[in-house]
Amino acid sequence: MKAADERFQECDALIDTFENVTKHPIVEQSRVYYTGVDLGTACVVVVVLNEQFQPVAGAYQYADVVRDGMVVDYIGAVRIVREMKESLEKKLGTELLYAAAAIPPGTASLDSGVIKNVVQAAGFELTRVLDEPTAANAILNIKNGAVVDVGGGTTGISILKDGVVTEVIDEPTGGTHFTLVVAGALHLDFEEAEHYKRDPKHHKELLPVLKPTIEKVADIIKRCVAGHDVEEIYLVGGTCCLTGIENVVEKYVGIPTYKPKNPMFVTPLGIAKSCTKEIIM
Ligand SMILES: Nc1ncnc2c1ncn2[C@@H]1O[C@H](COP(=O)(O)OP(=O)(O)OP(=O)(O)O)[C@@H](O)[C@H]1O
Ligand SMILES: [Mg+2]
């Protein structure tokens, strides 16, 4: 078995490249561009890959257009995605045609229509819709274990056995709840607490304050993996940027838990990597 760090080498390198190209896009000739749109509760991320599936541009914006995986501000969501698309097209000097999108597991019948409409209304040809943890695994390439995406609004889990997803669940607990706890504990308003929480300098101080909320997430994981043969847990999603979250989860669930260097962009990169030229839905 590969050591955890070695396992994340490719993923970490890809994320480094992505973070670079959000600041300095790579303008080059590519026959085709693949775009991933991650319309999250806390953050909208757009990733552009070239024909070799390497990141060439990207952008992210905190926005309040989705709640618990449901689009609550349709017009706002379309506007944000369209503006991000246009801005990236300008930087790259090309039109972005194809896009993939993801939905929290279990919401397919409820909301995938709305997510699809947002991406299409923003001007993309939507070629693929998949669930979030499965998208994340397009980058992690886990064969056995659980991939857990703790985003802003929800925690999505997919369990893999021999490379095949055997179970997916999504429950409404995520970073927004963490922010509310920070706000309450430090007497800050939501926005202040959100910024305070994201600053790694504050993570050591916040970990004990957030431990019960992390354990709530860990309890969701524990219930989901019960009865499955899960030997490793992989954390992704912005909330897992919290320093030390993996140790609290590991201790509570009792299964070795790992995360890449920057877990926030794994799912958006996986969505883009899953984008195709032909429609697969
Ligand atoms: N450095 C950080 N430390 C702690 N939390 C962070 C950090 N960076 C981002 N977050 C949190 O991550 C969350 C956003 O993560 P992400 O972008 O994965 O969520 P999302 O995709 O918008 O939500 P969801 O998947 O639930 O719809 C927010 O709650 C944000 O506060
Ligand atoms: Mg997400």
Side-chain angles (χ1 to χ4, degrees):
M1 196 189 296
K2 283 196 251 176
D5 293 344
E6 199 184 320
R7 201 174 335 208
F8 289 126
Q9 246 172 27
E10 256 175 62
C11 169
D12 287 343
L14 201 64
I15 291 169
D16 276 348
T17 310
F18 176 70
E19 288 184 305
N20 264 324
V21 300
T22 58
K23 292 179 211 107
H24 311 286
I26 301 172
V27 183
E28 55 168 26
Q29 285 303 314
S30 179
R31 271 175 301 158
V32 59
Y33 290 93
Y34 299 102
T35 308
V37 179
D38 188 352
L39 207 56
T41 305
C43 200
V44 179
V45 187
V46 178
V47 175
V48 185
L49 307 180
N50 66 11
E51 58 194 320
Q52 279 98 33
F53 290 94
Q54 286 303 308
V56 288
Y60 56 95
Q61 192 176 319
Y62 278 85
D64 196 11
V65 290
V66 174
R67 248 176 245 145
D68 296 347
M70 303 291 141
V71 176
V72 291
D73 175 6
Y74 179 77
I75 305 286
V78 173
R79 184 180 48 78
I80 288 173
V81 177
R82 186 183 296 134
E83 282 172 6
M84 289 170 91
K85 176 178 187 281
E86 285 169 0
S87 149
L88 290 166
E89 287 177 335
K90 215 164 156 189
K91 287 179 184 158
L92 290 171
T94 187
E95 191 189 351
L96 299 172
L97 291 175
Y98 309 112
I103 49 168
T107 56
S109 55
L110 272 173
D111 204 49
S112 70
V114 185
I115 302 256
K116 276 183 205 163
N117 290 346
V118 169
V119 176
Q120 286 164 337
F124 283 108
E125 180 171 343
L126 182 68
T127 54
R128 181 127 192 239
V129 177
L130 65 170
D131 77 78
E132 288 166 348
T134 303
N137 202 39
I139 302 298
L140 296 170
N141 293 312
I142 306 306
K143 295 277 174 279
N144 290 292
V147 177
V148 181
D149 182 342
V150 194
T154 65
T155 294
I157 307 172
S158 70
I159 295 181
L160 291 120
K161 183 97 194 136
D162 299 324
V164 178
V165 177
T166 57
E167 169 121 6
V168 284
I169 70 128
D170 196 66
E171 291 214 16
T173 299
T176 305
H177 304 83
F178 288 49
T179 303
L180 290 170
V181 171
V182 173
L186 302 184
H187 308 290
L188 300 171
D189 68 30
F190 185 88
E191 274 309 305
E192 290 166 342
E194 174 64 29
H195 284 99
Y196 194 89
K197 180 193 77 172
R198 277 192 238 144
D199 186 343
K201 280 204 300 285
H202 300 141
H203 285 178
K204 202 169 169 203
E205 165 209 341
L206 289 179
L207 201 66
V209 175
L210 290 171
K211 193 166 171 250
T213 321
I214 301 172
E215 287 180 340
K216 187 150 190 270
V217 169
D219 198 60
I220 294 171
I221 303 171
K222 195 170 180 173
R223 277 187 279 121
C224 180
V225 302
H228 296 269
D229 181 20
V230 171
E231 288 178 7
E232 283 164 347
I233 293 169
Y234 294 87
L235 298 179
V236 300
T239 295
C240 297
C241 294
L242 190 70
T243 316
I245 188 172
E246 64 279 21
N247 303 327
V248 180
V249 170
E250 178 170 301
K251 200 159 171 213
Y252 189 94
V253 185
I255 297 174
T257 302
Y258 308 101
K259 71 176 187 188
K261 228 166 42 186
N262 184 350
M264 172 118 176
F265 296 124
V266 177
T267 301
L269 277 161
I271 298 172
K273 197 176 168 192
S274 308
C275 180
T276 51
K277 282 185 283 185
E278 292 80 33
I279 295 177
I280 309 176
M281 280 201 252

